[in-house]
Amino acid sequence: MPYLSILPMEWERSLDKLYNFADCSGLHLIFALNALCRNPNNSWNSSNALSLIKYSAGKKYNISWELGNEPNNYRALTGRAVNGTQLGKDYAQLKRLLQLIRTYSRASLYGPNIGRPKKNVVALLDGFMKAAGNIVDAVTWQHYYLDGRVAKVTDFLKTRLLDTLSDQIRKIQKVVNAHTPGKKIWLEGIGATSEGGITNLSDSYAASFLWLNSLGILASQGIDVIMRHSFFDHGHNHLVDQNFNPLPDYWLSLLYKQLVGPRALALHVAGLQRKPRPGRVIRDKLRIYAHCTSHHKSVQLNGQLLTMVDDGTLPPLKPRSLRPGRTLVIPPLTMSFYVVKNVNALACRYR
Ligand SMILES: *[C@@H]1O[C@H](CO)[C@@H](O)[C@H](O)[C@H]1NC(C)=O
Ligand SMILES: *[C@@H]1O[C@H](CO)[C@@H](O)[C@H](O)[C@H]1NC(C)=O
Ligand SMILES: *[C@@H]1O[C@H](CO)[C@@H](O)[C@H](O)[C@H]1NC(C)=O
Ligand SMILES: *[C@@H]1O[C@H](CO)[C@@H](O)[C@H](O)[C@H]1NC(C)=O
Ligand SMILES: *[C@@H]1O[C@H](CO)[C@@H](O)[C@H](O)[C@H]1NC(C)=O
């Protein structure tokens, strides 16, 4: 569960620190409010959340919101279940609260942040979508490949594990599209293992196959926002260690960000079977994804993207000529070089 526990006595200070950290890092904060404050009739008691929302509005914090985390586990955690219809109504209540506060009248709201879409979880999502599908800006769920208490290194290398995510995406999409076709779906928490992960495994090279393959699968199935659980924590699903040294998944993420653009391409590989035939012993061990390369960091010259022709050759730098008498237009946020031809200025003559 990728959330900070906030001590009651000093929550204002904790929120300040959290917000400042996100702000300084260029990150946008999505705050999950406590969904477990409940009235006797099981509806959400928002009084506690309202104090926090008002406090952050006073500080003009730019925050998006959600309500709760893995609501499908509430019965196991607290002995009190919350069904999808009720949770949807709670979201509607939260939306009304936010609309009354000017800073947040148009703030984004995400949910329901469910776990693995097993049968009862799909039912929860269905009830939620019926009641609140039009209220949330994106539908969110979480995925952990392995049970963090029992996984071994050989578990991380089972190729059939790589394919489990695909089925889950389809299940979520089916429910979402039945209620609100085209609504964005976000994977709001992903890690190799649940329960904080396993020492020397969840943060090792062995777990990286799951991570990189997840990015490929999600993009190819139209999910364009993925939140990693986590960047830094006291478990072992993190991207940097306790001394902030990058771990394998960090380096992979860095390369991915630099090379892989957001547009995923359809791919057919001749002679390769994507799905094993039933009964075949050798399963497919290779996963290939294709994307347009990332244009992030890139520079255009007169509307043309500048890229190397090959390892050692610069591209032609083509000027755009203007006829005499034409107005020079200097667009905002651009950098320009102008050559004025045939001026023949004295100071520019050689010797
Ligand atoms: C909601 O919770 C607050 C305490 O957080 C309590 O004072 C209030 O009475 C509760 N409201 C209802 C309707 O139960
Ligand atoms: C549930 O209880 C709350 C707090 O007492 C109340 O405001 C709300 O109207 C009740 N909801 C229903 C459906 O009775
Ligand atoms: C708040 O943050 C979101 C996401 O980064 C951004 O799109 C929006 O413009 C920001 N709103 C304000 C008022 O700065
Ligand atoms: C959902 O929960 C609410 C409140 O606990 C209850 O009133 C309602 O009947 C439940 N709905 C379904 C479909 O189970
Ligand atoms: C994890 O690996 C480090 C470095 O190899 C080792 O010192 C440590 O004992 C290992 N921890 C566990 C719990 O295996």
Side-chain angles (χ1 to χ4, degrees):
M1 275 172 256
Y3 298 99
L4 287 183
S5 308
I6 293 182
L7 298 174
M9 291 309 288
E10 44 184 50
W11 64 264
E12 289 97 337
R13 256 172 51 86
S14 298
L15 184 64
D16 293 341
K17 280 189 190 168
L18 180 63
Y19 186 80
N20 290 333
F21 168 77
D23 201 36
C24 292
S25 313
L27 300 171
H28 182 70
L29 185 63
I30 302 173
F31 194 97
L33 296 160
N34 189 346
L36 292 173
C37 301
R38 296 267 147 200
N39 294 315
N41 64 11
N42 215 24
S43 67
W44 179 51
N45 178 335
S46 60
S47 73
N48 172 319
L50 193 58
S51 314
L52 191 143
I53 294 170
K54 281 184 172 161
Y55 174 81
S56 49
K59 296 264 180 173
K60 297 261 183 296
Y61 288 162
N62 184 357
I63 297 181
S64 298
W65 304 94
E66 59 184 19
L67 182 56
N69 176 44
E70 296 188 72
N72 45 293
N73 283 340
Y74 289 171
R75 186 193 291 285
L77 287 175
T78 67
R80 199 171 180 185
V82 175
N83 63 33
T85 313
Q86 182 60 56
L87 189 66
K89 287 181 180 165
D90 300 336
Y91 263 77
Q93 191 188 338
L94 173 57
K95 179 84 179 175
R96 286 194 298 273
L97 286 182
L98 292 171
Q99 279 170 340
L100 292 175
I101 295 170
R102 191 188 300 167
T103 311
Y104 299 123
S105 60
R106 280 192 264 161
S108 296
L109 189 55
Y110 305 109
N113 210 3
I114 46 168
R116 182 188 295 252
K118 290 178 284 195
K119 204 170 165 202
N120 60 325
V121 183
V122 167
L124 195 156
L125 180 62
D126 191 66
F128 177 85
M129 290 306 295
K130 208 174 287 169
N134 289 314
I135 288 173
V136 287
D137 294 277
V139 178
T140 56
W141 103 101
Q142 303 183 27
H143 180 66
Y144 301 94
Y145 282 95
L146 289 161
D147 185 332
R149 288 162 302 195
V150 298
K152 305 180 293 296
V153 68
T154 45
D155 295 330
F156 286 83
L157 301 175
K158 285 178 181 153
T159 50
R160 109 179 97 81
L161 201 60
L162 296 174
D163 298 324
T164 55
L165 183 57
S166 238
D167 294 335
Q168 301 201 9
I169 297 170
R170 276 193 287 270
K171 280 184 191 165
I172 303 272
Q173 281 172 334
K174 194 174 159 203
V175 180
V176 171
N177 289 335
H179 294 282
T180 50
K183 174 74 69 178
K184 284 280 180 199
I185 300 173
W186 290 3
L187 183 55
E188 226 223 38
I190 182 167
T193 40
S194 59
E195 315 288 334
I198 309 163
T199 324
N200 292 353
L201 271 182
S202 308
D203 51 4
S204 75
Y205 186 76
S208 294
F209 297 100
L210 292 175
W211 176 230
L212 197 54
N213 191 61
S214 302
L215 297 177
I217 287 188
L218 288 156
S220 67
Q221 290 184 233
I223 312 289
D224 52 12
V225 174
I226 301 135
M227 299 183 203
R228 165 74 182 217
H229 171 205
S230 53
F231 184 74
F232 174 87
D233 66 15
H234 296 289
H236 306 280
N237 282 319
H238 45 199
L239 296 178
V240 298
D241 70 12
Q242 298 299 325
N243 302 312
F244 299 102
N245 291 314
L247 293 161
D249 283 2
Y250 180 92
W251 296 115
L252 281 171
S253 309
L254 185 68
L255 271 174
Y256 191 92
K257 277 280 183 194
Q258 295 208 350
L259 296 176
V260 182
R263 188 168 296 172
L265 303 172
L267 188 71
H268 299 279
V269 183
L272 255 189
Q273 278 179 275
R274 288 288 301 162
K275 289 269 178 201
R277 253 188 248 133
R280 270 181 60 135
V281 181
I282 300 167
R283 278 192 291 268
D284 55 338
K285 305 254 185 226
L286 187 62
R287 300 291 186 283
I288 303 175
Y289 301 97
H291 283 243
C292 302
T293 45
S294 175
H295 289 174
H296 196 57
K297 292 184 181 158
S298 64
V299 173
Q300 293 184 356
L301 177 65
N302 295 329
Q304 294 291 310
L305 191 72
L306 290 181
T307 48
M308 294 292 281
V309 174
D310 60 38
D311 280 357
T313 317
L314 289 167
L317 303 173
K318 288 187 193 136
R320 184 186 290 162
S321 327
L322 287 176
R323 282 194 309 277
R326 286 281 296 273
T327 313
L328 267 186
V329 179
I330 305 177
L333 302 178
T334 57
M335 288 167 245
S336 313
F337 296 87
Y338 296 96
V339 176
V340 186
K341 285 184 173 173
N342 303 327
V343 174
N344 212 10
L346 202 58
C348 302
R349 290 189 195 156
Y350 292 104
R351 269 186 255 198

